[in-house]
Structure formats: structure tokens, C-alpha cells
Amino acid sequence: MADQPTAQRTHSFLRFAIALQTLTIFCQAVSAGLLLTVSYGHAVHGIGARVMYGAAMLYVLAAVLAWKPGGGSPRSIWHATGFLVLASVQVVLGIAHVPSVHVPLGVLMFALSVLALARQWGPARSGLVPHGRGA
């Protein structure tokens, strides 16, 4: 098992990475609206796609660090890797201009990222006991 400061640091980095990923996906939804309304919307959405993909890669790195040196569960690695695969598919669909799949996949990715974030910030992770349960 890893020492407590290392585990705490890597867990905090994992939380940060998931929060960043969730924020970048939300920004992508906003920039998708810009595609429809302003001339520079395409450029903003394209830059956002690169940032979102980088955030997904950072999530994988954070999950690996939370597992190996941090002593956490390897399950986060599978979630992060699966998300990176979805992000890769999303980028390909965006480049290929397939909005009928690109848009719903973006919604799914946002929902999954929010769930991952909630799982990291939930009562079980923070040491809090849900109301009505406890000694």
C-alpha cells in the first residue's frame, strides 16, 4: 500500500483530471452551439476538441498514477481508457461530419464524465457517511 501523502496527492490529481475532462466536454457543447451561430465557431470547436482529447489523456495518466504509486483500484484505468476510446471515436466522427452519431455520443460522454466525477467526489470517497447510515 502506498503512503498516505502519495495516495492523497494522486487521488487529488485524479479528481482534478476528471473535473477538467467534464469541463472541457461541457465547453464543447457550448462551442457546438457557436458552430451554428458565428463564423469562428468551427475554429473554437476544433481547438476545444484538441483540449478535450488532451484532458482525456490526462485522465488516463491520473488513473495510472492513482493505481500504481497511489495504491488505488485499477478500475479507474479501465474507465479512463474507455473514455479515451470514446473520445477518439468522437474526434473521428467530428472530422467525418457525422452529426447523427457525433452529437449523441457527446451527450453520452458528458453524462459518463459527470458520473465519474460524482463517483470521485461522492460520500464513499470523501469519508462522509450518507444520512441514515452509520453507527
Side-chain angles (χ1 to χ4, degrees):
M1 181 97 174
D3 62 357
Q4 196 65 6
T6 300
Q8 184 64 29
R9 240 185 346 265
T10 58
H11 184 69
S12 295
F13 182 46
L14 182 61
R15 283 181 171 181
F16 170 78
I18 296 171
L20 179 65
Q21 173 183 271
T22 305
L23 177 64
T24 60
I25 294 170
F26 178 76
C27 289
Q28 279 301 91
V30 171
S31 70
L34 292 176
L35 281 169
L36 304 172
T37 57
V38 295
S39 61
Y40 57 86
H42 184 74
V44 172
H45 197 67
I47 292 167
R50 289 164 179 82
V51 174
M52 182 276 302
Y53 199 80
M57 289 190 291
L58 186 68
Y59 178 22
V60 172
L61 175 64
V64 169
L65 292 175
W67 165 64
K68 197 60 174 167
S73 168
R75 187 177 358 168
S76 291
I77 298 171
W78 290 108
H79 293 164
T81 302
F83 201 92
L84 186 59
V85 168
L86 288 177
S88 299
V89 170
Q90 184 72 333
V91 168
V92 169
L93 290 169
I95 292 169
H97 302 286
V98 185
S100 61
V101 183
H102 182 75
V103 172
L105 181 58
V107 172
L108 175 65
M109 288 172 62
F110 181 68
L112 291 174
S113 195
V114 167
L115 285 173
L117 186 61
R119 191 170 45 245
Q120 287 299 315
W121 286 90
R125 300 283 186 202
S126 64
L128 300 175
V129 177
H131 183 68
R133 295 182 187 164

